[in-house]
Amino acid sequence: MMNEPDDQWSVTLQRGVASLDFKVTRDSTIGTPVMTGALGDVRGARALVQAAALAAVEADRWVATGAGDVPIPRDLVLTRRDLANAKAAEPPGSATSPFTAGYTAIYRLELARLLWSAISDAPARRLEELARRIPS
């Protein structure tokens, strides 16, 4: 289970998810913010953390589209939406607000849990499979 204190997977997934950069753009056709999760700087990270970061990008896509390899909890979709709205409300170049920081932390934690549910049956193999879906 991911919550075991000696379990490497919890830390690996959290580090991978923590490396994501979230960018917000405004969709001119619907007028709402669109957030994308992108691979952050993982240079120097262990290969397993790099794979977790790539897999986290894929899991973020699942949440954005509402469909993936595992069921997407509605609360996670709403948390992602709240994060996108908070990021969109920040003036360009401003410091990150406490609201945005909070939404980011919650979303990352829940995204790591979603990722665990997708790989728990065979963590190493499944993580590698998910990581290969994203062009590096």
Side-chain angles (χ1 to χ4, degrees), residues 28-76:
S28 59
T29 59
I30 57 177
T32 59
V34 176
M35 185 176 75
T36 54
L39 188 62
D41 185 8
V42 289
R43 290 174 295 178
R46 294 181 177 229
L48 200 53
V49 173
Q50 291 177 10
L54 289 167
V57 171
E58 177 67 10
D60 179 62
R61 284 188 197 173
W62 298 345
V63 179
T65 62
D69 289 7
V70 293
I72 311 301
R74 174 131 175 87
D75 288 348
L76 187 53

Side-chain angles (χ1 to χ4, degrees), residues 70-134:
V70 293
I72 311 301
R74 174 131 175 87
D75 288 348
L76 187 53
V77 173
L78 296 175
T79 300
R80 188 181 193 282
R81 185 199 62 200
D82 290 343
L83 173 58
N85 289 338
K87 287 187 75 61
E90 291 182 339
S94 68
T96 301
S97 76
F99 290 110
T100 303
Y103 287 131
T104 303
I106 292 167
Y107 182 63
R108 285 184 169 150
L109 177 64
E110 294 303 318
L111 191 61
R113 287 185 180 147
L114 178 73
L115 195 50
W116 174 248
S117 68
I119 69 166
S120 63
D121 60 333
R125 180 180 56 78
R126 294 283 294 134
L127 189 63
E128 187 178 321
E129 288 170 359
L130 289 176
R132 276 192 247 147
R133 293 183 188 178
I134 305 299

Side-chain angles (χ1 to χ4, degrees), residues 13-29:
L13 296 178
Q14 288 174 11
R15 286 183 180 168
V17 169
S19 73
L20 292 187
D21 287 332
F22 297 106
K23 308 279 188 220
V24 174
T25 56
R26 189 156 299 276
D27 185 332
S28 59
T29 59

